[in-house]
Amino acid sequence: MDKAALRVTLFGLLFTCVNLAANKKQDIDVYSFHINSKITSRYATTVITSRVKNKLNESQEVRFEVKIPKNAFISQFKMTIDGKIYDGVVKEKEEAQQEYCQAVSRGESAGLVSAVGRTFEDFKTSVTVAAHSKVTFELTYEELLKRRHGKYELLINAQPMQPVADFKIDVHIDENPGISFLEVKGGLNTKDLTKAVKTTRAEKCAMVNFYPTRDQQTKCDDCSENGLNGSLIIMYDVERKIEAGDLKASEGYFVHCFAPKNIKYNSKNVVFIIDKSGSMSGKKMEQTHLAMLKILSDLAEDDHFGLITFNAYIQTWKPELLKATKGNVEEAKTFVKRIKSEGYTDINAAVLKAVDMINKHHQEGSASILILLTDGEPNRGETDPVKIQKNVKKAIDEKCPLYCLGFGFDVNFELLKKLSQGNNGVARRIYEDSDADQQLQDFYKEVATPLLTDVQLSYQGVADLTRTTFSQYYSGSEIMVAGRIIDNSLDSFTTEVTALVKKIKMIYHISVLIQKLNSNKPGQENFTERLWAFLTVKQLLEKEVTLQGQEKDDAKKKALDLSLKYKFVTPLTSMVVTKPQDQQIQVAHKPKEGKKPNMHTQPTSSKSDCDVNVTERGGELDDDGLMERGGELDYDASVIEREAAMAPLPSTTQKPVTTSPPLKSIRILKSSGNAKPLCYDVPAQKVRLLQNDVSACL
């Protein structure tokens, strides 16, 4: 066949694919979509239940795709088909990986079911449903709400991708101290949808109900004829009548929430360490300028501050910390406006210089803070991450926390996590979006108002405590400790909190009768125990990053054991989902944020050891919908054939139907060893034709 004839044939096939995509009907009915969330003492358990019917006279694939908060752990997933339940099973990650690879080698597997974004993680799975049959998907995830800026936030995302006759979101909040305020925001609380939101408050509990009609589901800021697409944000705070905090216990476990409010402001010493290497040029530096100008304006006059900029060389605004007078702040702003990006990155020298400034000009009774902002990794001066960690830890010597902000996805975020967590701070990623300057400001607000330093909490008759020492307590935040009560002879449970306000030692006591502490109703699951397990796993995973040798192994083992016992999908575990068709499996990992996300990213399984296909090696689709690997487009025909053998492409008699947005490209690939091209029947606006020989694309 000559090239002209082949071109006509391929475009004829393309025309067929496009027409099939255009004529495809949504022949499934998501007839019920419920989200139920229960919050007790800041611990939220959310259940998403989707019920779907196949309306065709033939079998077809139905997908279940939802978004969950990044800080949550999935704890249960099940599918119900024809009265039979298929449960996901949480296993050690290596064991699940081995099962997956074995299934892949038998041609039985279908792919990973999770991915990560800025705020949410995606959970994706699919199942083939017989003609006129139904399937019920049910996903449960758990999270501990963290208090920031004086409030807790519960994020619930809904995107069923069609108007649903029976759509409900129910949120029940139960807080023993009482609820001080409640507010609902988000894209699902705009336009006509505001009429569908109902809030009810009592002294110690509150309800948020969201029951939009089919018509209302198409009328919000991000809604369309495909229905709801957005989030509800439920914000609340609790009463704080007792300065020593709120205690709650159940069946041998307790949780203590400590957030005193009647404390005078404790001035701070802060040094800002700003990366000005060449990679910070352009929008990043513009946004850094904007954020720093606002942050400097927000300094209290009793604060003392310093500025360091660095590339391969270190530059200080002033050699010492100065009081944040109006004149000094204005002079510092002029310095910030003149920061220009160029050169390499010497993180080690910059942080050590900041520590030296804090040590030499420490203001007695004040809280000291270091804030590092960088977008790269060390490539000048000391570049060994392990040596940098040792140098910084030795220099800081527990005197102050180091907070590390990583700008974008080219930054060595693992190093920043180790630097911060090894020095009583936290690492936070700043995303390269239009609101990056606001992200920087929001983080600063979290640490802008230190109230207490050297906070220590102690308890009687307990074991397996979560973290009990904190270098700082900030206004608008909260300290939480959980543990096991092992002394059954106790009539009352007592805690003591000691802390410093400037140079004055403060002591907070609270003692509660054990009978009053026990709060669970008969038959109710012990949320306090699960909260303890959740918080323990989170802290062990954070701590493990900074440990070495046997200590590191012990922390990982304990976190793994708890994850398996409480069925949490964590970085150490995976959920194996066995599907009814030919016992196919999927494996859900806790996705890791490692590179800049792409709107067209396909699900991947992080299973390079299986050596199956390009899709399974962490590739991303480029703007034209093609797989990108290491900056090069690579679609080998033999790879595609293996993919086709593992998961047959849909034919016109069995089309995959999804409740998620369609992909934006059609891919037609011609193999020189295969008479028929492979056609993806996907709605699209962009098309690219490839073949696996060296000739030009047709």
Side-chain angles (χ1 to χ4, degrees):
M1 181 183 293
D2 62 27
K3 183 171 290 189
L6 182 57
R7 184 181 296 113
V8 171
T9 300
L10 287 174
F11 275 97
L13 286 165
L14 172 60
F15 180 79
T16 302
C17 287
V18 172
N19 273 279
L20 286 171
N23 292 330
K24 183 188 296 182
K25 297 178 181 178
Q26 286 288 339
D27 291 318
I28 63 169
D29 179 21
V30 183
Y31 62 91
S32 177
F33 196 95
H34 290 185
I35 302 177
N36 186 283
S37 186
K38 294 182 179 179
I39 306 171
T40 307
S41 293
R42 294 70 152 171
Y43 194 68
T45 301
T46 302
V47 182
I48 303 175
T49 306
S50 177
R51 296 178 173 87
V52 185
K53 181 179 180 179
N54 174 15
K55 297 165 66 177
L56 286 181
N57 294 323
E58 58 191 352
S59 299
Q60 64 175 327
E61 187 182 8
V62 177
R63 297 179 185 173
F64 174 68
E65 303 186 8
V66 294
K67 296 180 183 294
I68 70 171
K70 285 172 63 173
N71 290 323
F73 289 157
I74 292 172
S75 56
Q76 187 179 55
F77 174 72
K78 61 184 178 182
M79 296 181 290
T80 304
I81 305 172
D82 295 329
K84 186 175 181 180
I85 298 175
Y86 300 87
D87 277 307
V89 180
V90 176
K91 299 185 178 184
E92 184 176 0
K93 194 167 188 176
E94 287 74 12
E95 180 185 353
Q97 185 78 13
Q98 186 176 12
E99 283 191 29
Y100 190 91
C101 291
Q102 290 172 352
V104 167
S105 68
R106 297 191 300 267
E108 295 176 355
S109 184
L112 183 68
V113 291
S114 55
V116 66
R118 174 171 165 178
T119 308
F120 293 101
E121 294 169 355
D122 294 332
F123 179 92
K124 305 179 182 182
T125 190
S126 62
V127 66
T128 299
V129 179
H132 301 289
S133 294
K134 299 177 180 179
V135 57
T136 298
F137 301 99
E138 185 178 299
L139 177 74
T140 302
Y141 62 86
E142 302 174 37
E143 60 183 316
L144 185 58
L145 304 184
K146 188 172 183 179
R147 189 170 185 250
R148 290 191 175 97
H149 308 306
K151 61 181 180 292
Y152 309 96
E153 288 189 0
L154 178 75
L155 275 69
I156 295 179
N157 183 271
Q159 194 177 3
M161 290 312 298
Q162 61 175 257
V164 181
D166 178 26
F167 184 97
K168 292 181 179 180
I169 294 179
D170 293 297
V171 179
H172 183 272
I173 306 171
D174 183 6
E175 293 286 358
N176 193 53
I179 296 172
S180 61
F181 91 92
L182 176 68
E183 187 176 0
V184 181
K185 289 187 175 182
L188 296 185
N189 192 28
T190 58
K191 296 183 178 177
D192 276 13
L193 285 182
T194 58
K195 302 172 185 176
V197 178
K198 179 183 177 183
T199 60
T200 308
R201 281 181 58 182
E203 182 183 356
K204 295 185 177 182
C205 62
M207 287 284 295
V208 177
N209 306 110
F210 179 60
Y211 299 169
T213 65
R214 274 182 179 273
D215 184 55
Q216 287 174 324
Q217 289 172 44
T218 64
K219 298 176 181 177
C220 73
D221 283 349
D222 297 314
C223 297
S224 68
E225 61 181 13
N226 292 325
L228 299 171
N229 178 12
S231 301
L232 275 186
I233 305 173
I234 292 89
M235 300 179 293
Y236 76 95
D237 199 15
V238 301
E239 297 287 354
R240 304 188 186 276
K241 299 174 183 177
I242 302 174
E243 289 292 290
D246 172 40
L247 272 174
K248 204 162 189 176
S250 177
E251 299 179 19
Y253 292 84
F254 80 93
V255 58
H256 178 206
C257 302
F258 176 69
K261 60 180 183 179
N262 295 320
I263 304 172
K264 292 183 178 180
Y265 172 67
N266 190 6
S267 60
K268 64 180 178 291
N269 312 306
V270 57
V271 178
F272 301 98
I273 313 161
I274 303 170
D275 185 346
K276 65 171 183 178
S277 61
S279 57
M280 282 286 290
S281 63
K283 191 68 173 177
K284 288 182 187 176
M285 187 52 72
E286 290 175 19
Q287 292 174 315
T288 300
H289 286 164
L290 289 173
M292 282 305 305
L293 293 176
K294 183 66 170 65
I295 288 170
L296 289 171
S297 295
D298 289 342
L299 289 170
E301 192 164 345
D302 287 339
D303 292 339
H304 287 72
F305 73 105
L307 288 168
I308 291 176
T309 61
F310 70 97
N311 43 32
Y313 305 97
I314 311 302
Q315 181 181 6
T316 60
W317 166 57
K318 299 290 182 181
E320 69 281 328
L321 274 65
L322 296 183
K323 195 172 183 180
T325 62
K326 185 176 180 180
N328 286 337
V329 167
E330 289 304 313
E331 187 178 342
K333 286 182 179 181
T334 301
F335 175 81
V336 166
K337 292 175 184 177
R338 293 174 178 170
I339 299 175
K340 294 182 179 180
S341 305
E342 60 181 352
Y344 295 90
T345 308
D346 189 346
I347 291 176
N348 181 74
V351 176
L352 294 183
K353 179 62 178 178
V355 176
D356 182 62
M357 288 178 66
I358 284 281
N359 289 339
K360 286 183 177 178
H361 303 279
H362 178 68
Q363 305 296 316
E364 284 298 325
S366 298
S368 295
I369 302 169
L370 299 174
I371 300 177
L372 167 68
L373 171 65
T374 180
D375 75 329
E377 55 183 308
N379 53 25
R380 280 296 183 273
E382 180 57 72
T383 60
D384 184 345
V386 175
K387 290 182 180 179
I388 294 173
Q389 293 165 45
K390 289 181 179 178
N391 292 342
V392 171
K393 189 170 182 62
K394 181 180 179 181
I396 291 179
D397 194 25
E398 302 290 330
K399 298 185 189 75
C400 63
L402 169 63
Y403 296 100
C404 298
L405 305 179
F407 210 141
F409 282 84
D410 295 324
V411 68
N412 186 340
F413 200 65
E414 287 300 311
L415 172 60
L416 297 190
K417 285 198 296 185
K418 292 176 180 179
L419 284 175
S420 58
Q421 291 168 8
N423 293 284
N424 298 307
V426 296
R428 184 80 54 84
R429 191 183 298 279
I430 303 300
Y431 294 86
E432 292 183 63
D433 290 335
S434 58
D435 67 339
D437 56 314
Q438 189 61 51
Q439 295 175 54
L440 290 167
Q441 292 174 51
D442 286 345
F443 173 81
Y444 173 73
K445 288 177 183 177
E446 292 182 37
V447 298
T449 313
L451 298 179
L452 299 173
T453 59
D454 299 325
V455 184
Q456 299 186 36
L457 301 94
S458 58
Y459 307 86
Q460 295 179 349
V462 297
D464 297 327
L465 291 170
T466 59
R467 181 181 171 190
T468 57
T469 60
F470 302 84
S471 62
Q472 319 269 10
Y473 161 68
Y474 300 100
S475 177
S477 68
E478 181 176 67
I479 290 173
M480 181 178 289
V481 178
R484 290 195 305 118
I485 302 174
I486 58 174
D487 188 347
N488 296 323
S489 66
L490 292 175
D491 293 325
S492 60
F493 188 73
T494 303
T495 179
E496 179 180 276
V497 183
T498 62
L500 295 178
V501 179
K502 297 187 176 180
K503 292 184 288 185
I504 302 172
K505 184 176 182 179
M506 301 288 292
I507 301 177
Y508 301 86
H509 286 284
I510 185 170
S511 183
V512 183
L513 292 174
I514 293 292
Q515 287 180 326
K516 290 186 177 180
L517 276 178
N518 291 321
S519 55
N520 269 22
K521 299 175 183 177
Q524 183 181 11
E525 187 174 13
N526 188 357
F527 87 89
T528 313
E529 180 181 351
R530 295 193 69 82
L531 185 157
W532 164 81
F534 185 99
L535 185 56
T536 300
V537 171
K538 282 281 189 182
Q539 292 184 357
L540 283 170
L541 292 173
E542 292 173 357
K543 184 179 180 182
E544 177 264 335
V545 170
T546 64
L547 299 176
Q548 294 180 340
Q550 191 61 45
E551 282 187 318
K552 186 181 187 75
D553 293 340
D554 291 344
K556 286 184 70 173
K557 185 179 185 305
K558 186 174 181 180
L560 173 61
D561 290 344
L562 287 173
S563 299
L564 292 172
K565 179 178 179 180
Y566 293 95
K567 300 179 180 179
F568 293 144
V569 178
T570 72
L572 303 177
T573 57
S574 298
M575 178 175 285
V576 178
V577 181
T578 302
K579 298 165 58 172
Q581 297 83 23
D582 302 321
Q583 294 300 299
Q584 290 183 340
I585 70 167
Q586 291 182 308
V587 178
H589 301 308
K590 181 72 173 171
K592 184 177 181 180
E593 190 178 58
K595 62 189 297 186
K596 187 174 181 178
N598 190 302
M599 291 299 292
H600 307 306
T601 300
Q602 287 188 340
T604 66
S605 59
S606 301
K607 50 186 176 47
S608 56
D609 291 341
C610 296
D611 193 25
V612 177
N613 55 41
V614 175
T615 313
E616 295 164 352
R617 293 184 180 133
E620 290 189 350
L621 299 179
D622 70 1
D623 291 337
D624 291 311
L626 294 171
M627 187 61 60
E628 183 176 3
R629 183 175 60 181
E632 297 180 356
L633 296 176
D634 187 356
Y635 250 117
D636 182 83
S638 60
V639 170
I640 299 299
E641 287 169 352
R642 288 202 300 271
E643 181 182 8
M646 182 186 72
L649 291 172
S651 67
T652 57
T653 59
Q654 183 176 328
K655 299 188 286 285
V657 180
T658 178
T659 56
S660 68
L663 293 176
K664 294 185 177 180
S665 63
I666 295 173
R667 293 170 299 202
I668 299 178
L669 298 99
K670 176 184 178 297
S671 168
S672 58
N674 199 345
K676 293 183 179 180
L678 299 177
C679 176
Y680 279 66
D681 179 10
V682 181
Q685 295 176 342
K686 296 183 179 180
V687 176
R688 182 176 291 184
L689 303 179
L690 299 175
Q691 60 186 38
N692 71 331
D693 56 22
V694 296
S695 62
C697 293
L698 295 175

